[in-house]
């Protein structure tokens, strides 16, 4: 069982930056991919980006590519989502998720149902 705890959400103005973190309570995350999803009111949960602990790198949704960066600290079992040039349409609850089978598949998976552990989410609000 892996517990994920997000932190760092808040209210920012458009054009500014924000970093959110996700700490995982696991002895090892080898073979896992960890991802960020987001869900705005009335919308489906969407993939934002992910990082692989199996050496597959990172992958981003087109909507955030070039503005958002995911990094990881292996020693702390923590990933970060650095969000730059934020837009009002980035407003959502941001969820951290872990896919324990990513290493077996050999790539980063993108669908929410493929992730077996989830955090409770952190609210990010971007004002115009």
């Amino acid at each position: 069982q892996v517990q994920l705890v997000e932190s760092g959400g808040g209210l920012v103005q458009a054009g500014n930056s924000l970093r959110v973190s996700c700490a995982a309570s696991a002895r090892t995350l080898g073979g896992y991919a960890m991802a960020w999803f987001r869900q705005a009111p009335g919308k489906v949960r969407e993939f934002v980006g992910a990082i692989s602990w199996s050496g597959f790198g990172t992958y981003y949704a087109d909507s955030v590519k070039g503005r958002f960066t995911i990094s990881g600290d292996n020693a702390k079992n923590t990933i970060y989502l650095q969000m730059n040039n934020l837009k009002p349409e980035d407003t959502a609850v941001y969820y951290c998720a872990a896919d324990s089978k990513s290493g077996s598949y050999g790539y980063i998976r993108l669908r929410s149902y493929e992730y077996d552990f989830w955090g409770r989410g952190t609210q990010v609000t971007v004002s115009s």
Side-chain angles (χ1 to χ4, degrees):
Q1 190 76 8
V2 176
Q3 291 185 328
L4 304 173
V5 179
E6 303 96 336
S7 61
L11 171 65
V12 295
Q13 287 189 325
N16 284 352
S17 300
L18 191 67
R19 189 179 81 161
V20 293
S21 305
C22 173
S25 63
R27 191 169 61 176
T28 178
L29 292 172
Y32 280 66
M34 291 183 69
W36 290 97
F37 288 79
R38 66 186 182 185
Q39 188 166 18
K43 295 190 175 182
V44 299
R45 191 169 296 188
E46 64 172 352
F47 175 85
V48 174
I51 185 169
S52 167
W53 294 119
S54 302
F56 308 138
T58 55
Y59 187 86
Y60 300 94
D62 288 343
S63 59
V64 306
K65 202 172 293 182
R67 299 188 298 123
F68 290 10
T69 302
I70 295 176
S71 60
D73 186 332
N74 213 339
K76 296 181 179 179
N77 279 353
T78 298
I79 65 168
Y80 306 94
L81 177 65
Q82 176 68 42
M83 302 179 284
N84 297 329
N85 190 22
L86 281 160
K87 304 175 181 180
E89 51 263 42
D90 294 318
T91 295
V93 177
Y94 282 71
Y95 295 92
C96 178
D99 174 10
S100 61
K101 300 180 180 64
S102 176
S104 300
Y105 279 88
Y107 56 88
I108 291 174
R109 301 196 290 176
L110 309 183
R111 296 173 178 79
S112 59
Y113 63 80
E114 294 169 325
Y115 285 75
D116 35 6
F117 302 105
W118 289 84
R120 294 188 174 184
T122 185
Q123 176 70 45
V124 173
T125 303
V126 184
S127 63
S128 57

